[in-house]
Amino acid sequence: EEDEAFYRLDLKRRFPVPIALEAWPEDKNVGDVMTPAVHSVLDTATLGEVTNCMLDKGIHRLFVRDPDNKLLGIITSMDLLRVFAERLEPKVATES
């Protein structure tokens, strides 16, 4: 019988590490486990710049802001994947 497990990504080694269900932190709240660093880009950033930023920092989302630091939205790795899929195969992005 296979044990159920959750995984966390070890960013230094870049591979998943199993977390036993018994060790699941039930007494933790979101503030205890969140990523404290907030990453953002200007709305004028190119898709290449955003992609490189996400890859360099190992993150999947960036806040998008204007020059006055007003939050405009969020760009995610799924947003980028959708754009790249449409570019590679126009039918792929529109079928779902």
Side-chain angles (χ1 to χ4, degrees):
E1 184 177 308
E2 193 173 314
D3 286 4
E4 269 191 70
F6 289 97
Y7 292 85
R8 68 176 171 79
L9 182 61
D10 184 323
L11 293 177
K12 287 187 179 182
R13 295 186 207 109
R14 295 193 180 254
F15 64 84
V17 177
I19 301 172
L21 286 178
E22 301 84 45
W24 193 252
E26 292 182 25
D27 60 338
K28 300 282 186 186
N29 61 41
V30 70
D32 296 326
V33 297
M34 70 178 191
T35 301
V38 176
H39 301 284
S40 68
V41 293
L42 286 171
D43 59 342
T44 56
T46 67
L47 293 180
E49 291 169 334
V50 169
T51 301
N52 284 327
C53 182
M54 286 183 180
L55 289 170
D56 290 345
K57 296 181 183 313
I59 57 177
H60 292 277
R61 61 199 55 78
L62 288 165
F63 291 104
V64 180
R65 59 185 169 77
D66 69 11
D68 296 324
N69 287 329
K70 179 182 174 193
L71 182 62
L72 301 174
I74 300 173
I75 182 85
T76 69
S77 53
M78 285 302 293
D79 296 327
L80 294 174
L81 188 57
R82 196 174 300 107
V83 170
F84 298 146
E86 175 64 28
R87 196 72 187 245
L88 294 171
E89 186 68 44
K91 290 182 183 179
V92 172
T94 57
E95 287 177 359
S96 56

